[in-house]
Each structure stands twice: as C-alpha cells, then as structure tokens.
Amino acid sequence: MDPKTPAIGVLALQGAFDVHARRLAALGAITTLVRKPGQLDTLDALVIPGGESTTFLKHLERAGFYDTLNAFVHIKPVFGTCAGCILLAKEVSNPHQPSFGVLDIAVERNAYGRQNDSAILTSETTLAGGPLEMVFIRAPRITRTGPNVRSLATRDGSPTLIRQGRLLAATFHPELTEDTRVHQLFLDLVREEMK
Ligand code: GLN
C-alpha cells in the first residue's frame, strides 16, 4: 500500500456518515467507519458528520470515547459538518452544551428557525470553480470567528465553511451535493499535514 494514501475515519455513531466515506474513497482515501475509540489510533484524519450533536454526546459517554476523540481533534486534521462543527466549536449556544472547544468559533444551534430549517442555497466561495451549492438541515449559525479562522463561504453574511489550520468545518452538508470540492480540500489538507 502507498504509505502516502491518507487513512481517514468517519465517525459512525449516528447521522450521515456513509456518504462521506464513499466520497472520500472515490477521491483516493482509505476510509474507516469509526465506532470504537481504539480505531482512532491508526488514522491520519477524521470526519465528524452531521446528525444530532446531543445524540453524539450521549454515544460518546461510552468507555473513554469522549476523551480519546478529544485528544485526536486536538492534534490531527478533522472535518466537522453541521453537528460535527458544533462538537468542535469553542462556544455552543441555544442551548449551551459541552464541546471539544478546538475550533475558535461560537455557534448557535438550529439558528435559522422553522421556516428555513432546511434549505438549498448558493454562495460565492474562495474555492476555485465558481459558486458553491449548500444543503442546510437544521443548521447552526457561526456567530463569531477567531483571528485564525478563515471563511470560505457564507449565508446571509455568516460563515458556512471555515478553515482553521488543520481543521475544516461546514454548517451545511457537502456530502449531499455532487460537488466534490469541499472533500477534495479536506483531502489536500490531510496530505499536507502528512508531509
Ligand atoms: N441541529 C443539529 C444539532 O444541533 C445539527 C443538524 C445537522 O447536523 N444537520 O446538532
């Protein structure tokens, strides 16, 4: 096996994990569905998918999972989408809940209200290749970003895709569109970190 092929896990406790794994595999990664903390040992990077962040937290209470994952997200490349973004954030509101606090942002859960709780929108993006289609499902809103956080796309002026060094996060579901640019960006970032 090529030692440079990134081994990327997708946290598979609940939520939209399958499609992430398939997309990353199609782009050239070796993917693992992570259901036990020990599986993190051999991985170069991790995706924390969308779902329900409170349910993730409940599952993570199991035997050392929270602590192992917490250690992982503090040193390795991680891509959090929607609920995953909430778990990585420094501050969570509506209501407040625990998080790994590694991404210097504040997020408000379910911030777009009932009428707009699911939406497909398009944003200008700093990614090459033109506007980005974004699928939002009971999405959080990023209400504050620290100085090391770069915004790559927005919704009504709030960042929806951000990067902070080896961390990438989206408040939308990039796995639900045909556009592979966001996953490609993550893969490039992971390869960069492996050098
Ligand atoms: N509303 C969910 C939460 O607060 C996130 C929704 C999603 O991941 N699509 O965890």
Side-chain angles (χ1 to χ4, degrees), residues 6 10 12 44 52 56 59 69 72 79 87 92 98 110 113 122 127 134 152 165 170 173 179 192:
V10 182
D44 299 308
E52 203 56 47
F56 273 111
H59 284 295
L69 191 53
F72 190 96
F79 178 23
L87 291 177
V92 181
N110 302 309
T122 299
L127 300 180
M134 305 175 292
L152 313 179
H173 284 256
D179 193 331
E192 198 57 40

Side-chain angles (χ1 to χ4, degrees), residues 37-145:
Q39 289 176 281
L40 292 168
D41 294 349
T42 55
L43 295 175
D44 299 308
L46 182 73
V47 175
I48 306 181
E52 203 56 47
S53 53
T54 48
T55 312
F56 273 111
L57 287 169
K58 223 165 265 162
H59 284 295
L60 289 170
E61 282 168 13
R62 259 193 305 158
F65 213 151
Y66 188 92
D67 292 343
T68 311
L69 191 53
N70 191 36
F72 190 96
V73 303
H74 277 83
I75 53 169
K76 293 280 179 81
V78 181
F79 178 23
T81 65
C82 210
C85 173
I86 295 169
L87 291 177
L88 295 174
K90 197 163 257 176
E91 300 159 48
V92 181
S93 65
N94 193 33
H96 171 75
Q97 66 187 34
S99 55
F100 298 124
V102 72
L103 196 53
D104 189 9
I105 60 169
V107 291
E108 182 188 349
R109 294 179 58 209
N110 302 309
Y112 292 99
R114 274 211 180 172
Q115 293 298 324
N116 296 311
D117 73 350
S118 295
I120 302 177
L121 301 170
T122 299
S123 170
E124 293 301 321
T125 174
T126 60
L127 300 180
L132 185 67
E133 193 177 46
M134 305 175 292
V135 179
F136 294 94
I137 305 169
R138 285 175 295 105
R141 193 163 67 90
I142 296 173
T143 56
R144 180 191 70 76
T145 54

Side-chain angles (χ1 to χ4, degrees), residues 5-9 21-32 187 190-191:
T5 303
I8 303 182
R22 265 184 269 134
R23 174 142 316 164
L24 288 165
L27 293 173
I30 297 165
T31 58
T32 307
L187 208 51
V190 173
R191 286 209 171 93

